[in-house]
Amino acid sequence: MRSTIDRDTLVRLCERVEGAQTRAYAIPKLTNEYSELAMADSYAIQMALLERFLEQGHKLIGWKAGLTSKAKMKQMGVEQPTIGFLTDRMARPENSVISTSDLVHPRVECEIAFVTKAPLSGPDCTAAEVMAATDYVMPAIEVIDSRFAGFKFDLESVVADNSSSARFVGGGRPRYANELELDTLGVVLEKNGEMVEMGAGAAVMEHPAEAVAMLVNILAELDRELPAGSFVMSGGITAAVAVQPGDYVTARFQELGSVSVKFGE
Amino acid sequence: MEQSMIDQLGDELYQAYQERRTIQPFTERDLDITLEDAYQIQQRFMAQRLAAGETVVGKKIGVTSRPVQDFLGVFQPDFGILTSAMEIKGDNVVDLNGLIQPKAEAELAFVLKEDLNGPGVTAMDVIRATDYVVPCFEIVDSRINDWKIKIQDTVADNASCGVYVLGDAKGDPKKLDLTLAGMVLRKNGELYSTSVGAAVQGSPVNAVAWLANTLGELGIPFKAGEVILSGSQSELVSVQDGDELECTVGGLGSCSVRFTGRSAV
């Protein structure tokens, strides 16, 4: 992907997203001002944001796939999912209290996370290669947060906003991926003890490893590889559920145990 | 309701069933029909079918999951009788010519090895008394105009039972997580929906226990060897000539069904 955006604009938009993320306020979607913003520009902004965070001492630990369900892709009129980076600052322990005061529109999703033991690179990375390079899988809750006002956004703005990445919680029981049927693996999302969403792994591009392969292929377009030891969240199996202070969320996975987290002020 | 009216309505359903046509919903007539009346009408309807040579092979539980409850606007489970004429054997091909306005549901069937006499039956008893579970399709069908059913209409109409197909994958319930087992439903090879066992009353086992207790109150036992359909985990799927459906349950296996011909409506 080759961005044609000029350096000044790139820096300005990157700073705008960084401000919204770090100080938790909503901004208008970027395309209001830059209607010609293309996907390559959006990823350029996301990579610039990553560089800034790394300069500030954040550590890159992996990536996430977004818009991985067919329904969501159709809805947004896109052919492939989006990706976003994950840093140590976004990680939260299982059963901890996640503060919502530094988030704008927090919502939770259940995902299967992959931890890799060998590097993966695209283009043409396949699900079979992903499975072979996977050390283990584990259940995860992703807290996504769109920093755009009134939920008005488009794909270009979302990608620049690091594909709505905010927080994530890994937990439950790690398992070897090849011992599981990840497509028929069932998941229930409970909020305050009530089942609110459910589904099975196939909701993510027929098989979660397909989403990871796609992610690797998008990284290749950004001249990046996925190094061994990466933590990759393969995309929401369930629809995203809004949370507020006081909510207690549990994701229960077939074969993988559960992950719980609370939300506070 | 007078016994003569119950008999008349039961016979009307039996005639509609035989002639493969639909009738006006009972709840749209000036009848003031109660749920008890509806079950008595079902008894009369099914007594006619048994008199014509069908035999009882099991029970079905209906209206158990949110998607089906939302579709029908009915928010409580119900039950019907399975007869020898309803099981599709061998090649798993459903001839739509024998049905009126069919829709398919993917679910789990329990085959019993012991009698279960409610009330007082718990989930533990259901697991103990189960010989095996198997993924299945129930092809529901309604003898009521345009599926315009309230709970009394569907109950009188034998819980809208049509025919059913059991898969080959028999599983021991003591080796499965029936609550979190994912279900992947494909139509003509394409992903249609995903779900989990918990969609049905928190667990299919709970639905079976509910029915054992409900029937127990009426003095009707579950018999060893009977097939109990635990309720749809999917939405109702429209089917027509040439369609193929496959449901796969995590840790268990698949059931496939093919449709030929044309239904009456």
Side-chain angles (χ1 to χ4, degrees), chain A residues 70 181 183-188 195 198-200 202-203 206 237 252-255, chain B residues 177 179-184 186 190-191 194-196 198-199 233 248-251:
Chain A
K70 263 194 186 152
E181 294 161 346
D183 54 347
T184 57
L185 194 134
V187 179
V188 168
M195 182 169 85
M198 61 178 177
E206 308 268 331
I237 293 170
R252 299 167 65 197
F253 291 72
Q254 181 184 11
E255 307 285 353
Chain B
D177 183 345
T179 301
L180 291 178
M183 178 186 273
V184 178
R186 290 173 200 282
E190 288 223 2
L191 184 70
T194 70
S195 177
V196 291
Q233 295 182 23
T248 308
V249 176

Side-chain angles (χ1 to χ4, degrees), chain A residues 215-253:
Chain A
L215 180 144
V216 170
N217 291 328
I218 294 174
L219 281 176
E221 290 186 53
L222 301 170
D223 300 320
R224 286 180 175 270
E225 288 188 354
L226 187 72
S230 292
F231 177 84
V232 181
M233 289 198 294
S234 57
I237 293 170
T238 59
V241 173
V243 288
Q244 55 185 20
D247 282 341
Y248 184 69
V249 171
T250 299
R252 299 167 65 197
F253 291 72

Side-chain angles (χ1 to χ4, degrees), chain B residues 16-35:
Chain B
Y17 159 73
Q18 277 192 311
E19 294 167 6
R20 289 194 304 115
R21 58 177 177 76
T22 58
I23 59 175
Q24 188 192 15
F26 296 153
T27 51
E28 283 182 11
R29 307 180 194 183
D30 197 15
L31 287 170
D32 203 20
I33 180 174
T34 66
L35 197 55

Side-chain angles (χ1 to χ4, degrees), chain A residues 50-97:
Chain A
L50 173 59
E51 291 312 315
R52 273 173 177 265
F53 285 148
L54 295 180
E55 279 164 24
Q56 292 163 27
H58 302 203
K59 195 176 152 218
L60 176 67
I61 66 160
W63 298 84
K64 64 152 247 184
L67 294 177
T68 45
S69 77
K70 263 194 186 152
K72 272 190 183 175
M73 276 191 264
K74 210 177 231 177
Q75 191 185 358
M76 299 291 281
V78 292
E79 302 267 297
Q80 60 177 29
T82 61
I83 68 169
F85 60 81
L86 300 173
T87 71
D88 61 326
R89 307 292 172 99
M90 301 176 188
R92 294 292 181 273
E94 195 174 358
N95 278 315
S96 62
V97 179

Side-chain angles (χ1 to χ4, degrees), chain B residues 222-261:
Chain B
F222 279 174
K223 299 278 199 190
E226 282 193 337
V227 177
I228 313 296
L229 305 188
S230 62
S232 182
Q233 295 182 23
S234 65
E235 301 161 51
L236 297 164
V237 186
S238 298
V239 288
Q240 58 184 24
D241 188 25
D243 280 343
E244 285 186 22
L245 297 178
E246 180 191 48
C247 71
T248 308
V249 176
L252 182 56
S254 303
C255 178
S256 300
V257 60
R258 197 157 54 81
F259 298 87
T260 60

